[in-house]
Amino acid sequence: MDSVTSDARTPLGASADNGLKIVVVGGFGVGKTTLVRSVSEIRPLNTEETMTRAGEAVDDISEVSGKTATTVAFDFGRITLDARNVLYLFGAPGQERFWFLWDRLFSGTLGAVVLVDTRRIDDSWYAIDRLEHHGTPFIVACNDFGGPAFAQADVREALDLDPHVPLLDCDARSRASSKQVLITLVQHLKDRYTGKHPYAGQAAQAAPPRQEFA
């Protein structure tokens, strides 16, 4: 498995004229900044600030005790699809106090990645709810934190995902793995907007209440 490297990044060509906006969302400390940093072909813009003791009364860090910095606005990166199309990646802040920024980030978004830590599955519900509220297509990627693996069927049930929403595992530290996440999203969007998706045009059915993820 490859990790983030310092390989040369290619500048954006003058012929690229289609910018496609993608947002990476998820709970606090699930790896959104890491994913944008690992896959971006430019030096990413990060708005990370050092976490202080004053923030302990505001942000729940009990499950991310090793985290020393946090995004306070958004992360930004870019990856070229072809000569004329590029993805602009926006990583949303995960803390609840910054959720008011999400609706603005979703404006003009073609699609989204919901990054999930299966140890804290309930932290992902708000992201999914907001994307569904905006009608924004999305996929779900479970980031590898070295814990026990869960069957995809169990993750789907815990997140109450519609059957057509792609679900995959990833390692946000790996450039190849993060690129596969974006490839999966782009294919999902292509299928949706070309009418090839088996669920295209169908209204979502009412779902039962979400259940705790054991």
Side-chain angles (χ1 to χ4, degrees), residues 124-189:
S124 308
W125 291 348
Y126 181 78
I128 292 174
D129 284 341
R130 294 313 299 166
L131 290 168
E132 290 178 341
H133 173 76
H134 282 270
T136 304
F138 65 92
I139 68 169
V140 175
C142 298
N143 196 10
D144 181 10
F145 285 91
F150 295 97
Q152 286 201 355
D154 294 334
V155 177
R156 282 189 175 278
E157 181 179 0
L159 292 174
D160 193 22
L161 287 183
D162 285 340
H164 71 283
V165 175
L167 171 67
L168 70 160
D169 297 322
C170 75
D171 184 340
R173 301 166 298 179
S174 164
R175 191 174 189 193
S177 182
S178 297
K179 285 176 69 174
Q180 186 57 51
V181 170
L182 296 181
I183 290 170
T184 301
L185 175 60
V186 169
Q187 186 61 55
H188 177 56
L189 295 173

Side-chain angles (χ1 to χ4, degrees), residues 2 9 26 31 54 62 67 69 80 85 91 98 105 107-108 122 156-157 164 167 173 186 193 205 209 211 213:
D2 63 333
R9 305 294 171 99
S62 59
K67 191 171 175 61
T80 299
N85 298 281
F98 293 129
L105 280 177
S107 177
D122 55 331
R156 282 189 175 278
E157 181 179 0
H164 71 283
L167 171 67
R173 301 166 298 179
V186 169
Y193 290 118
Q205 298 297 317
Q211 301 179 12
F213 191 66

Side-chain angles (χ1 to χ4, degrees), residues 73-146:
F74 60 85
D75 305 308
F76 175 77
R78 190 199 74 209
I79 185 168
T80 299
L81 295 178
D82 53 40
R84 304 191 68 85
N85 298 281
V86 294
L87 290 181
Y88 293 121
L89 308 176
F90 291 82
Q95 303 99 304
E96 184 174 353
R97 58 193 168 111
F98 293 129
W99 284 353
F100 71 92
L101 295 171
W102 286 18
D103 288 342
R104 291 186 179 274
L105 280 177
F106 291 162
S107 177
T109 297
L110 185 65
V113 174
V114 178
L115 202 58
V116 172
D117 178 353
T118 55
R119 302 170 304 175
R120 299 178 287 127
I121 202 77
D122 55 331
D123 289 355
S124 308
W125 291 348
Y126 181 78
I128 292 174
D129 284 341
R130 294 313 299 166
L131 290 168
E132 290 178 341
H133 173 76
H134 282 270
T136 304
F138 65 92
I139 68 169
V140 175
C142 298
N143 196 10
D144 181 10
F145 285 91

Side-chain angles (χ1 to χ4, degrees), residues 4-129:
V4 180
T5 61
S6 58
D7 56 323
R9 305 294 171 99
T10 304
L12 180 63
S15 63
D17 54 8
N18 292 319
L20 311 174
K21 182 180 178 183
I22 299 298
V23 175
V24 182
V25 293
F28 182 40
V30 296
K32 300 179 296 297
T33 297
T34 301
L35 188 147
V36 172
R37 183 181 295 154
S38 70
V39 77
S40 177
E41 63 191 18
I42 62 172
R43 184 181 297 277
L45 167 66
N46 298 129
T47 57
E48 285 194 311
E49 295 292 341
T50 301
M51 297 176 64
T52 65
R53 295 185 65 87
E56 293 180 6
V58 181
D59 301 320
D60 182 5
I61 63 171
S62 59
E63 298 293 336
V64 288
S65 56
K67 191 171 175 61
T68 59
T70 185
T71 299
V72 296
F74 60 85
D75 305 308
F76 175 77
R78 190 199 74 209
I79 185 168
T80 299
L81 295 178
D82 53 40
R84 304 191 68 85
N85 298 281
V86 294
L87 290 181
Y88 293 121
L89 308 176
F90 291 82
Q95 303 99 304
E96 184 174 353
R97 58 193 168 111
F98 293 129
W99 284 353
F100 71 92
L101 295 171
W102 286 18
D103 288 342
R104 291 186 179 274
L105 280 177
F106 291 162
S107 177
T109 297
L110 185 65
V113 174
V114 178
L115 202 58
V116 172
D117 178 353
T118 55
R119 302 170 304 175
R120 299 178 287 127
I121 202 77
D122 55 331
D123 289 355
S124 308
W125 291 348
Y126 181 78
I128 292 174
D129 284 341

